[in-house]
Amino acid sequence: MSEQNPVRLQSPLGRVRGLGSARGGTHHWWIQRVTSIALLPLTIWFILSIALHTGSSHAQVVAWIGHPLNAVLLISFILISFQHAGAGMQVVLEDYVRGEMPRMLSILAVKALCWLLALLAALSVLRIAL
C-alpha cells in the first residue's frame, strides 16, 4: 500500500462519532474518567468524615448517616464506587478471560454482583436515614 492511501478500519461516520472498527466507541473510557473525577471529592469527604467520627458512639454515627446531606453523599459515593469498580473489572475480564462464553458470563456475574451490593448498601443507608 502506498502512504497516500492507508488502510482505514473506520467508516467516515465512525471517525466522526469516535467509534473504532469494532463499533465500541469510547463509552467505557469516558465512564471510568467521569466516575474517577466524581469519586475524588466524595472519597476525600468520606475519609474525613470517618476520621472525624473515630471514637463516636453507634448512636452518633447513625445520627450522622441520618442527616439528609450525609445520606445523599454516602449513597452517591456507594453508587459511583460500584459503577467505577464494575467498569474497571469489565475491562480486565475483556482483556484476560479467554473464550466468548466464559468472558460474557464473568462480565455478567461481576455486573450483577456490583448492582446487588450497591443496592444493598444504598438501601442500608436509606433505612437508617428514613
Side-chain angles (χ1 to χ4, degrees):
M1 281 254 148
S2 69
E3 288 185 42
Q4 292 178 347
N5 198 6
V7 176
R8 299 205 186 256
L9 297 177
Q10 292 178 312
S11 68
L13 181 60
R15 279 191 300 278
V16 170
R17 290 184 177 168
L19 300 176
S21 61
R23 311 281 187 256
T26 57
H27 178 73
H28 286 208
W29 187 87
W30 276 109
I31 291 296
Q32 284 293 100
R33 288 350 176 242
V34 169
T35 56
S36 294
I37 291 167
L39 281 174
L40 186 61
L42 286 171
T43 302
I44 292 169
W45 165 82
F46 183 71
I47 290 170
L48 289 175
S49 298
I50 295 301
L52 291 174
H53 284 91
T54 302
S56 297
S57 69
H58 180 266
Q60 290 171 323
V61 174
V62 168
W64 175 79
I65 293 172
H67 188 272
L69 178 63
N70 293 332
V72 167
L73 289 174
L74 194 53
I75 290 171
S76 298
F77 178 71
I78 290 165
L79 296 179
I80 294 171
S81 294
F82 278 106
Q83 171 63 36
H84 184 77
M89 285 301 301
Q90 179 175 348
V91 171
V92 170
L93 293 171
E94 287 172 345
D95 288 344
Y96 293 107
V97 175
R98 298 278 187 225
E100 188 65 30
M101 187 59 72
R103 182 181 308 121
M104 183 180 64
L105 291 175
S106 60
I107 290 170
L108 288 174
V110 165
K111 285 188 175 210
L113 184 64
C114 284
W115 272 97
L116 179 66
L117 293 175
L119 286 173
L120 287 172
L123 287 173
S124 299
V125 171
L126 286 173
R127 187 168 180 184
I128 292 171
L130 301 178

